[in-house]
Amino acid sequence: MTTQTVKFRVYRYDPDKDAKPYMQDISVEVDTTTERKLLDALVKLKVVDETLSFRRSCREGVCGSDAMNINGKNGLACITDIDTLKQPIEVRPLPGLPVIRDLIVDMTQFFKQYHSIKPYVINDTPAPDRERLQSQEDRKELDGLYECILCACCSTSCPSFWWNPDKFVGPAGLLAAYRFIADTRDTATNERLDNLEDPYRLFRCHTIMNCVDVCPKELNPTKAIGKIKEMMLKRVA
Amino acid sequence: MVNRIVVGAHYGLRDWLVQRATAVIMLVYAVAVGAFVLFAAKAGYADWQQLFSCTWVKVLTTVTVLALLWHAWVGIRDIWMDYVQPLGLRVTLHVLTIVWLVGSLVYSVKVVWGV
C-alpha cells in the first residue's frame, strides 16, 4: 500500500449553521493503489469530517450525480484523476445554481428547462404492432446526442445560463432538444422549433463553447445548437 | 401583473442571421479600405477625397454603416437583456440605444455624402 496526502480547499455552507459560505482547508490520506479518483478522496474526506455533504452514486461517470467545480472547472469527481489536479484541490459546488448544502446544489431550474423541451418522442401516427423502426443511418444521427447523463456540468459553466436560468434552455436542454428534432420517429419537429424560436430560449447561446470544454462525456452541445439554428434557417429560407 | 416567466417572442433567428450577414459586409468593407491603405500608403487628403467622391464608395460606405448599426443594435440589446432586469429601465435603454444609433446614421450620411 502506498499512501499519499491529498490537500483540499472545500467550499462549505450549511444554511442552518453558517451565516455565509467559507472555504475549509483539509487534507486526507489516500491509498494510491486503489484510490485514484477525486471521488475516492472525497469519500475518505467524509470519514474525517462527516458533516461534508456531496452527491454521488455510480462512481463510474454514468449517473452524473457528483458533478462539481474542480479547480475552477466543472467535472465529475468520480472520473477525475487526483494525479492530474494541482493541490490544494479547490472543490466548489456547480456555479450558478442555489446551494442546498456544501457541494449539493438545487437542480430544479436545470430540470425545468430540460422538461420544457419535451424530452420524449412525440409521434401522432398510429403505433405499429411492435415498434417504430429506424434505419441504421437515421439511428446514427442520434450518436453524440443521446449519451448525455444530465450532470449539468455544461449548463452551469455557461454564462448565458447563469444570467437567465429561468429563460435560456441551456446547453444540456438544447442538446436534448436536438436529440428529438433529429429523431426520425418524432413528428413534432415544427412544434419543437417553434418552442425554441425565441431570443432567450435558444438564441442566448453565443457559441463560447464552455459546454464543450467541460462535458465529461465529450459531447458537443454547441454543434447541436448550430444544427437547430440550421434547421430553423432551412424552414424559412 | 402577476410575476411569471414569459418567453416565446418568436424571433431570434432573424437577428442571429442579421448579425452574421452584417459581419460579412463589415469584413468585406474593412478588407477593401485596408487594401486601399496598404496599396496607397502615401495617399493624402486629395486622394481620400477623390475616393470618397465616387458614388459607389458612398453607397458602399453607407451600406456598411447600416450593417454596423444593425449589428450593434442586436449586440447591445442582448447586453441589456442579460444584465438589466427591471423592465422599465431595460425598455428605456432600448429606446435610447435606437435613438443613438439612428442619430449616428444620420450624422454618418451627412459626413459621407457631404464629401
Side-chain angles (χ1 to χ4, degrees), chain A residues 77-209:
Chain A
C78 58
I79 55 169
T80 303
D81 279 320
I82 297 168
D83 285 350
T84 62
L85 299 169
K86 202 178 134 216
Q87 293 191 28
I89 303 169
E90 206 167 288
V91 184
R92 293 169 182 269
L94 290 176
L97 292 177
V99 174
I100 294 172
R101 180 175 162 160
D102 296 339
L103 304 176
I104 300 176
V105 290
D106 181 356
M107 307 261 285
T108 309
Q109 198 68 66
F110 173 78
F111 281 111
K112 229 174 164 173
Q113 291 297 356
Y114 175 65
H115 290 134
S116 78
I117 59 100
K118 300 189 178 167
Y120 40 84
V121 170
I122 298 170
N123 191 314
D124 51 15
T125 60
D129 287 342
R130 292 188 65 188
E131 59 191 304
R132 297 187 196 278
L133 295 173
Q134 275 192 303
S135 68
Q136 289 192 359
E137 291 74 44
D138 288 343
R139 167 59 187 76
K140 265 200 188 117
E141 288 293 312
L142 308 182
D143 285 342
L145 303 170
Y146 78 92
E147 300 93 329
C148 174
I149 57 172
L150 297 173
C151 64
C153 280
C154 59
S155 291
T156 57
S157 69
C158 174
S160 289
F161 191 75
W162 296 340
W163 311 149
N164 293 290
D166 50 349
K167 294 177 187 158
F168 176 51
V169 175
L174 290 169
L175 182 89
Y178 185 65
R179 182 247 170 275
F180 291 98
I181 289 169
D183 195 316
T184 49
R185 294 163 298 181
D186 191 278
T187 57
T189 313
N190 256 318
E191 290 85 339
R192 291 184 188 280
L193 293 178
D194 284 344
N195 179 261
L196 294 173
E197 166 65 317
D198 180 88
Y200 282 107
R201 285 181 60 71
L202 172 70
F203 289 95
R204 280 295 98 180
C205 169
H206 300 306
T207 327
I208 64 163
M209 298 176 81

